[in-house]
Every structure is written in C-alpha cells, then in structure tokens.
C-alpha cells in the first residue's frame, strides 16, 4: 500500500524557514522520482521541486531556486523540502507526490501517488 505523509508545515514570517518532510511507504523499487507541489486558494496546483531516488538529480521551479532545497534520505524513505527566505507568495498547501520512472517532471498529471498536503502560511 503506497502512502505519502507530509509534515512540517506551519506558520512562518517572511524571511523565515520551514522544513517539510514526506514519509513514503510502499515505494519499493526506487524507479520513480519524488516531487513537491503547492496549491494556493483559487489557484492551480503548481510544481515546486523534484528529486530522483536513484540518481539524486534535482529540479526546481524558477521561483524557488536559491531558496528551497529538495533532498532525500533513502534509508528513511523520506523526502525533504527545506524552505528558506520564505515569502508570502509561498503560502499554499504543499503536496508530496511520486512519479513512476526516474525521469524528472514538473507535470502533475505524471505523478500517480499523492499525499494529503500540509499547510504552509507565510505572513508579511
């Protein structure tokens, strides 16, 4: 049974930091990549970052480059999103997702497993 569980969301001030975690279970073959997406109220779900389990290659959307870092701990089956220099525009529900195959993608439709999301709120 595949399960992705996000944690670490909360309230931060602009310029602050948060680290999100995604605990993955049931993804046993490692032939996929993990992604973080976010969705603000009234907006579409947008790609944030992705990482490959086996290649350790990362990919970021332009708006978070230099501020966010995606990483993974294979032994813990956990993916992280370290968010620094937070901005109010980062406010959203953040979702962890898994895509079959190791090729990175920013297209949400290619991700087949999703967590329930964790709220990140950044105040001005």
């Amino acid at each position: 049974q595949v399960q992705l569980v996000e944690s670490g969301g909360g309230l931060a001030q602009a310029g602050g930091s948060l680290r999100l975690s995604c605990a993955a279970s049931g993804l046993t073959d490692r032939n996929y990549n993990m992604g973080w997406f976010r969705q603000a109220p009234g907006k579409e779900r947008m790609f944030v970052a992705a990482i490959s389990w086996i290649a350790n290659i990362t990919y970021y959307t332009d708006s978070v480059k230099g501020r966010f870092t995606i990483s993974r701990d294979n032994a813990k089956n956990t993916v992280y999103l370290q968010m620094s220099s937070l901005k109010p525009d980062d406010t959203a529900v953040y979702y962890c997702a898994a895509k079959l195959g190791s090729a990175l993608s920013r297209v949400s439709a290619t991700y087949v497993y999703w967590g329930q999301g964790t709220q990140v709120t950044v105040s001005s």
Side-chain angles (χ1 to χ4, degrees), residues 2 5 17-18 32 36 41 44 57 65 96 102 107-108:
V2 174
V5 180
S17 299
L18 288 171
Y32 44 81
W36 286 98
E44 66 273 20
I57 298 172
K65 287 181 179 178
C96 177
S102 60
V107 180
S108 62

Side-chain angles (χ1 to χ4, degrees), residues 10-18 67 83-91 120-124:
L11 177 65
Q13 294 185 336
S17 299
L18 288 171
R67 300 190 299 120
M83 305 184 295
S84 300
S85 301
L86 284 165
K87 304 175 181 179
D89 284 349
D90 296 321
T91 296
V120 171
T121 302
V122 183
S123 62
S124 300

Side-chain angles (χ1 to χ4, degrees), residues 74-118:
N74 289 9
K76 295 182 179 180
N77 296 316
T78 300
V79 177
Y80 304 96
L81 185 68
Q82 176 66 50
M83 305 184 295
S84 300
S85 301
L86 284 165
K87 304 175 181 179
D89 284 349
D90 296 321
T91 296
V93 177
Y94 283 70
Y95 297 90
C96 177
K99 170 186 176 294
L100 298 178
S102 60
L104 299 180
S105 174
R106 64 184 299 122
V107 180
S108 62
T110 66
Y111 290 78
V112 297
Y113 302 114
W114 293 83
Q116 294 300 306
T118 184

Side-chain angles (χ1 to χ4, degrees), residues 47-60:
F47 171 79
V48 177
I51 188 168
S52 171
W53 279 118
I54 59 175
N56 198 25
I57 298 172
T58 59
Y59 176 47
Y60 300 90

